[in-house]
Amino acid sequence: MTVFAGLRLPREIVFGAGQRHALPAIARRLGERAFVCTDERFAATETFQTMIQALRAAGLEVHVFDRVLADVPRDSVTACIEGAASFNPQMVIGIGGGSCMDMAKCAALLLSHGGALQDYYGELKVPGPILPVIAVPTTAGTGSEVTPVAVVSDPDKTLKVGISSPHLIATAALCDPDLTVTCPPGLTAIAGADALTHAIEAYTTSRKQADHVLFQERVFVGKNELTDHFAMMAMRLLGRSLEKAVLNGADELARSEVMLGSLAAGCAFGTAGTAAAHAIQYPVGALTHTAHGLGVATVLPYVMTYNLKVAVAEFASIARILGLEDKGRTQEEMAGAAISEVVRLFKAIGITGSLADLGLEADKIEWTAQQALGIGRLINNNPRPLDLTSMRRLVEAAYHGNLAASAM
C-alpha cells in the first residue's frame, strides 16, 4: 500500500491553562488594529474585559462586535462588518464558541474580498488569503479554531450551509482550558460528544486514491496517516475524560484533556472530513432546532453500526483506544464493543438516544433521508456506500432507537 499523508493547520497552535494571556503578544505580530468577534454573554464577563484591556495595554486598537448569534445567520455577518470596514482592521479575533470563531472567519473573508457571503458557499470558492484570524475557543467541541470551515444559516435555505477553503484556517489557535470551566454540564456534554464524533468519523472516513491532485483539488481528502494520528489522540483523551468533565466541571485535568481532545479532533477532521452522521444531522437540526453536537452524537452509534461490516479493523482499534481490553475477544467482538462503549458514554452524559426523542416527526423520515443523501461531500466520505433505500432504513433505525436495525 502506498503511504499517503496530508494535513492543513494554523501557523501557530498554543494550548494550556493560562495561555489566553499570550493573546496580546500573538496579536502584536499581526498588526496594530484588532477586530474582535464575540457574543453578548461572554462579552459581559470579567475574563473578556481583562483580555480586551490586555490587548489595548499592548498598544493595539480594538473594535469589538459582541452580537454574534448562534449558527451565524447570514445577514448578521453583514451587520458585523459594517462597523469594521471603516476601522480597517489588520486582524480578526474570534473569542467564544464555534459560532464566534466562524463569524470571525466570515468577517475576515468579506473584509478581504467583498461581495456577498453566499458567493462563497461550498468548497474552494474563496479566491485567496484573508485577513489573519486568531481563534480563541471558550468551549471544547467544534474544533473551529483549526478547521477550514465556517458554518452559517441562510434564511433562503432550509439547511445550514458551509464555506470550506484552506484560506479560512486561522493563523493562530489559542486554546486555554480555563476558559471552559464555566461551561455547564449540558453544554460540556454536547460539545464533547461533538468532538468525539468528529474524531470517530475522521478515523473511519473512506481512504481516497492518493494521486497528486487529491490534496490540491479537495478540502476534505479522507483518512490518512496524519489525520489518523490526531483522531486517535482525540479519542483517547475524550474517552477517558469527557464523562469526568461533565460530572465535575472543576476537574482541571479533565477539562484540559477534553479541550485538547476537541482540538485534536479538529486537526483530524479539518483535513479528513466527516461522514454520514453529520449528513443526517443537517436536516434533523433544521427540523428540530436542536444543537449540532447533540444531533451528530445521537446518530453516531447507528452510523457506526451501519459501517461496521466495512470498518471492523478501525472499530476494533477504537475499542482499544477507548480503554477496552481484548480479553480473548475476536476482532469482530472488539469492533462491536467500541459501539457499545460509545452508546454507554453518551447515555452517561445525557445524549439523546433516538431521533424521535430528539423531536423528529415520523413523517419527516423520508425527507430527512433525501436531504442527507444529497450532501455529497459527507456521503462520499462514508466508508460504506449509501443509497436512498439504505439511508432511509438508517434514519428509521435512528428514529426508533433500534441499533440492530441499522446493521442491514
Side-chain angles (χ1 to χ4, degrees):
M1 181 184 73
T2 300
V3 175
F4 168 72
L7 205 62
R8 300 187 186 97
L9 293 175
R11 189 170 70 196
E12 183 174 7
I13 300 175
V14 182
F15 178 93
Q19 289 298 324
R20 66 187 181 279
H21 301 302
L23 179 59
I26 294 172
R28 281 290 299 172
R29 294 198 292 268
L30 299 176
E32 298 177 347
R33 292 185 301 281
F35 178 49
V36 178
C37 299
T38 192
D39 56 33
E40 285 187 323
R41 185 203 66 80
F42 192 67
T45 65
E46 182 179 348
T47 298
F48 178 78
Q49 294 303 323
T50 300
M51 294 171 73
I52 297 302
Q53 290 168 9
L55 287 169
R56 289 176 171 145
L60 283 91
E61 296 180 54
V62 181
H63 182 86
V64 176
F65 178 84
D66 61 2
R67 299 188 303 280
V68 175
L69 302 175
D71 299 326
V72 193
R74 181 197 67 195
D75 296 337
S76 72
V77 181
T78 303
C80 172
I81 66 170
E82 282 177 353
S86 59
F87 177 66
N88 192 26
Q90 294 170 302
M91 75 199 76
V92 183
I93 304 175
I95 307 176
S99 292
C100 294
M101 292 183 284
D102 284 356
M103 175 65 91
K105 295 177 185 179
C106 291
L109 167 59
L110 293 188
L111 288 167
S112 300
H113 296 292
L117 196 62
Q118 50 267 41
D119 296 338
Y120 306 102
Y121 291 170
E123 292 189 85
L124 299 173
K125 300 289 183 61
V126 179
I130 64 174
L131 282 174
V133 172
I134 303 174
V136 187
T138 61
T139 60
T142 70
S144 184
E145 65 271 16
V146 293
T147 67
V149 182
V151 177
V152 302
S153 52
D154 188 317
D156 297 329
K157 297 180 179 294
T158 304
L159 308 185
K160 287 188 290 185
V161 293
I163 302 171
S164 304
S165 168
H167 294 304
L168 291 186
I169 298 173
T171 299
L174 182 57
C175 307
D176 185 339
D178 287 350
L179 294 176
T180 69
V181 170
T182 58
C183 286
L187 177 56
T188 301
I190 290 172
D194 188 17
L196 184 57
T197 303
H198 290 155
I200 290 174
E201 288 217 294
Y203 189 65
T204 55
T205 53
S206 58
R207 192 183 295 272
K208 304 295 190 298
Q209 179 67 36
D211 57 43
H212 67 280
V213 301
L214 173 65
F215 207 71
Q216 311 310 316
E217 296 182 352
R218 296 283 296 275
V219 176
F220 303 110
V221 301
K223 69 187 273 98
N224 64 71
E225 300 305 311
L226 285 171
T227 61
D228 279 357
H229 168 79
F230 283 104
M232 289 187 289
M233 176 183 178
M235 289 185 285
R236 184 176 67 253
L237 292 167
L238 292 162
R240 72 189 183 201
S241 288
L242 177 55
E243 189 173 353
K244 294 177 183 177
V246 172
L247 296 176
N248 178 14
D251 186 330
E252 294 181 3
L253 178 59
R255 285 286 192 188
S256 291
E257 292 204 334
V258 168
M259 190 179 216
L260 185 57
S262 172
L263 170 65
C267 293
F269 92 86
T271 298
T274 53
H278 278 71
I280 295 171
Q281 188 281 329
Y282 274 99
V284 169
L287 292 171
T288 62
H289 305 290
T290 49
H292 166 81
L294 182 61
V296 295
T298 298
V299 175
L300 179 64
Y302 303 95
V303 172
M304 291 178 72
T305 302
Y306 175 80
N307 289 332
L308 178 58
K309 64 174 59 177
V310 299
V312 170
E314 286 84 356
F315 285 154
S317 176
I318 288 171
R320 298 182 185 99
I321 292 167
L322 293 178
L324 304 181
E325 297 180 2
D326 289 59
K327 293 182 178 179
R329 287 184 282 196
T330 65
Q331 182 103 315
E332 289 75 13
E333 289 170 336
M334 285 296 288
I339 301 173
S340 298
E341 174 59 15
V342 170
V343 171
R344 184 209 65 77
L345 173 59
F346 283 176
K347 183 177 181 180
I349 63 175
I351 298 300
T352 309
S354 72
L355 291 179
D357 291 340
L358 202 62
L360 186 70
E361 299 292 338
D363 62 358
K364 295 299 183 181
I365 290 175
E366 178 71 22
W367 183 85
T368 297
Q370 291 174 354
Q371 295 298 312
L373 193 65
I375 307 176
R377 64 182 176 83
L378 299 175
I379 296 303
N380 294 337
N381 238 3
N382 203 65
R384 184 181 174 193
L386 283 150
D387 57 20
L388 184 56
T389 299
S390 56
M391 177 62 83
R392 185 188 302 114
R393 289 176 180 170
L394 178 55
V395 175
E396 285 178 347
Y399 175 83
H400 293 290
N402 188 344
L403 198 62
S406 56
M408 291 179 243

